[in-house]
Amino acid sequence: GILGELPDDVFVAAWAGSFNTWCDVDLLFDGVDSAMAENPSLHLLVTGGEVEGHDSVTWRRFLDLVEGSRQRDRYHLLGRVEDSVLAEVYRRSDVGLVVEKDLYERQLGAENRVVQWMAHGVPVLTTYRSPAGRDLVQRGLSFAITGRSAEGLAESLLALVDDPARLAAASLACTREAREAW
């Protein structure tokens, strides 16, 4: 599988779950691709895909962007995966990504995928549109994408790549929060 093909010394940012209408794929792609251009150790691991019967446009847009990337060999698109593979994705990920559009759904929504990341000790880099997302950023349990822009995503991601101690501390805090609070 692809996880076995990822070298141990690369930095893995990850997306888990569907690409729904709230996902800002242009911001996600532009930020990650720009960061990849600056740091060749950065890879993106993606599970999930389209929301059948609801939204196939968002996923298709992301696929088209990846196909046109000079770094496309560092995008690992796994699609929907079994729980055992998802557990391995969590284990291999350095940071999870949640990149949202500014929609009412996000302002009122929950952070279920963030809870899953945290339960596995994976801190999240997010646009923090929901109240839960803002709370997690304020408490240092998630990282904010600077300016909620592609440039900010690239800068924020590269800063985390360069600061393994900060990531390790956040990972421990996420694990503790998940165990104690949830």
Side-chain angles (χ1 to χ4, degrees), residues 14-15 22 24 27-28 95-101 106 110-111 113-115 117-118 122-149 152-153 156-157 160 166:
W15 175 278
W22 59 262
D24 191 336
L27 181 100
L28 173 65
V95 67
L97 299 175
V98 176
V99 183
E100 313 153 293
K101 293 178 182 174
R106 299 315 303 151
E111 295 291 337
R113 70 183 75 204
V114 174
V115 170
W117 288 116
M118 290 176 66
V122 180
V124 173
L125 180 58
T126 179
T127 46
Y128 62 100
R129 300 271 184 208
S130 73
R134 287 189 297 275
D135 178 63
L136 292 171
V137 166
Q138 289 170 350
R139 293 175 42 217
L141 296 168
S142 289
F143 301 108
I145 294 172
T146 305
R148 295 181 178 144
S149 67
L153 172 53
S156 300
L157 190 52
L160 292 173
R166 183 177 177 207

Side-chain angles (χ1 to χ4, degrees), residues 24 31 34-35 38 40 46-47 60 69 84 91 107 119 138 147 155 178:
D24 191 336
S34 178
E38 288 191 43
V46 176
T47 66
R60 173 56 39 208
S69 171
S84 61
R91 187 198 66 72
Q107 294 172 17
Q138 289 170 350
E155 289 172 15

Side-chain angles (χ1 to χ4, degrees), residues 6-116:
L6 277 172
D8 289 336
D9 61 345
V10 300
F11 186 95
V12 178
W15 175 278
S18 64
F19 280 70
N20 208 331
T21 53
W22 59 262
C23 176
D24 191 336
V25 292
D26 290 291
L27 181 100
L28 173 65
F29 173 80
D30 291 343
V32 170
D33 206 62
S34 178
M36 283 180 172
E38 288 191 43
N39 188 323
S41 75
L42 179 60
H43 289 247
L44 182 66
L45 188 55
V46 176
T47 66
E50 77 176 88
V51 183
E52 293 179 27
H54 172 64
D55 178 9
S56 61
V57 173
T58 304
W59 174 242
R60 173 56 39 208
R61 171 77 179 147
F62 183 71
L63 291 177
D64 289 346
L65 290 167
V66 169
E67 185 59 34
S69 171
R70 292 181 185 191
Q71 286 83 231
R72 69 180 160 269
D73 61 322
R74 289 189 278 141
Y75 287 87
H76 309 283
L77 311 178
L78 303 181
R80 299 202 188 298
V81 298
E82 298 293 325
D83 288 346
S84 61
V85 175
L86 189 56
E88 182 65 14
V89 168
Y90 290 137
R91 187 198 66 72
R92 189 61 185 87
S93 298
D94 294 293
V95 67
L97 299 175
V98 176
V99 183
E100 313 153 293
K101 293 178 182 174
D102 190 13
L103 304 172
Y104 284 121
E105 176 187 356
R106 299 315 303 151
Q107 294 172 17
L108 302 172
E111 295 291 337
N112 295 329
R113 70 183 75 204
V114 174
V115 170
Q116 288 296 315

